[in-house]
Amino acid sequence: METLQTEPRELEYQAYQKRQYAEVSSEALHFRAAKLSKGGRARWDGTGWSPLPYPGYAMQAMLESSPNNAALLPELVYLQYEIISILDRPGTLYPLPAASFHQTVANTFSADRLQRHLIDKDKFEAFPEMVKNAISSFPATSEDQPVKMRLIGASLFRTAIGVLGVFENSKHFERIIAFRDQFYRQPELSALGLRRTRPFIGHVTLAYLEADLEESEQTLLAEGIAKLNTRLGKRSLVMEMPQAELRRYDTLSAFISEPHYPTATL
């Protein structure tokens, strides 16, 4: 039985913006680098990577879903290459396939929680239809511009590296939060055990750490990313997020869509 916890609160817009800029600073990168641990999302066999199982469902804004992100994709692929190249040790950083690049708009169930809340209750196959019913009542946005997130620099998570995003239009941030508020309050989904487990943090994951780092490597990684961020901060890399779509995944390297999976306009 899961312990009931207070639902985490979303960050206010200004606090969110401040947090994102702080996390791409040199100071934050060195602090996070010292706390990195292996992700366990892929296995290196000496010549290549094999993704490891990590099943789940999530509402995602896929980079490839918007034609206006076409120019951004190669930019992120090259940034990923530059980050991987900082540590000249094969088998250390697992680069995610470009087709997997996305922003998670709302998590649902994954790994152990997927097993307990959906598979054990025989709801795995029915879940997409339940999500479709739940979001069908969401009001359509009256805005004529899609949500836009500007990517400002790479950051270190506990087991991963991602590029963080801010919203120069506060209304775009608020549209994301409004969707999440409605999504996590749907009675049918709440009855399954769906909960907001963390506040929204705009980011696109580029790689997972899959080896322990020496202290010198931690420093090298932090300093290398800090240099990349100096350059990125002067540019305008924008990701458009016109919609959130339900995707299924068996590993974190591929996110699967089916014709009957629902999509919501942000």
Side-chain angles (χ1 to χ4, degrees):
M1 183 175 179
E2 293 189 1
T3 302
L4 292 178
Q5 298 179 340
T6 303
E7 183 180 271
R9 296 179 61 183
E10 301 284 1
L11 295 174
E12 298 290 338
Y13 173 69
Q14 293 295 346
Y16 171 88
Q17 299 284 94
K18 183 177 180 180
R19 185 259 180 212
Q20 296 294 78
Y21 280 107
E23 286 295 326
V24 300
S25 69
S26 177
E27 181 181 13
L29 288 166
H30 280 86
F31 177 79
R32 299 292 183 194
K35 298 180 178 297
L36 288 171
S37 58
K38 291 189 289 187
R41 301 295 180 248
R43 180 183 295 112
W44 176 256
D45 65 6
T47 59
W49 290 101
S50 298
L52 294 173
Y54 191 82
Y57 281 110
M59 294 297 295
Q60 297 176 332
M62 301 300 298
L63 192 76
E64 64 181 9
S65 292
S66 175
N68 290 335
N69 290 329
L72 177 61
L73 184 59
E75 296 274 7
L76 292 185
V77 170
Y78 187 65
L79 175 61
Q80 181 190 59
Y81 165 77
E82 291 182 297
I83 292 172
I84 300 296
S85 299
I86 294 171
L87 298 179
D88 188 20
R89 179 155 66 98
T92 303
L93 292 175
Y94 166 55
L96 288 166
S100 75
F101 292 170
H102 69 277
Q103 167 67 62
T104 297
V105 178
N107 287 298
T108 66
F109 301 106
S110 60
D112 293 344
R113 295 190 74 244
L114 181 81
Q115 182 70 42
R116 291 196 304 273
H117 293 282
L118 296 186
I119 297 175
D120 290 350
K121 296 178 181 179
D122 198 27
K123 297 292 186 181
F124 182 80
E125 296 296 335
F127 186 65
E129 188 65 23
M130 298 174 74
V131 172
K132 182 178 180 179
N133 292 337
I135 68 176
S136 63
S137 61
F138 289 5
T141 178
S142 59
E143 302 290 333
D144 58 0
Q145 290 290 322
V147 170
K148 294 180 180 180
M149 179 173 71
R150 186 165 76 86
L151 303 176
I152 59 171
S155 177
L156 298 173
F157 297 84
R158 185 174 59 85
T159 62
I161 301 174
V163 57
L164 296 188
V166 298
F167 296 85
E168 296 180 333
N169 185 333
S170 63
K171 291 183 179 180
H172 289 194
F173 174 78
E174 290 162 3
R175 279 157 61 181
I176 294 283
I177 301 306
F179 174 85
R180 287 167 58 84
D181 285 345
Q182 293 175 91
F183 187 76
Y184 288 116
R185 290 171 183 167
Q186 290 302 301
E188 187 177 17
L189 300 181
S190 296
L192 286 176
L194 184 66
R195 301 289 184 270
R196 184 182 344 227
T197 58
R198 62 184 74 94
F200 174 80
I201 297 296
H203 72 284
V204 178
T205 303
L206 301 179
Y208 282 93
L209 180 70
E210 297 300 345
D212 293 322
L213 298 184
E214 301 288 341
E215 187 174 344
S216 60
E217 291 177 310
Q218 295 171 2
T219 300
L220 185 65
L221 183 62
E223 291 179 349
I225 293 178
K227 290 179 181 178
L228 294 175
N229 286 352
T230 298
R231 187 190 73 207
L232 288 170
K234 300 174 182 178
R235 306 190 60 202
S236 182
L237 300 180
V238 175
M239 176 180 176
E240 287 197 359
M241 296 186 285
Q243 61 190 26
E245 49 189 297
L246 184 68
R247 292 280 178 131
R248 185 185 82 250
Y249 49 95
D250 302 313
T251 73
L252 292 178
S253 64
F255 298 90
I256 303 159
S257 177
E258 300 286 356
H260 64 287
Y261 285 7
T263 296
T265 301
L266 295 175

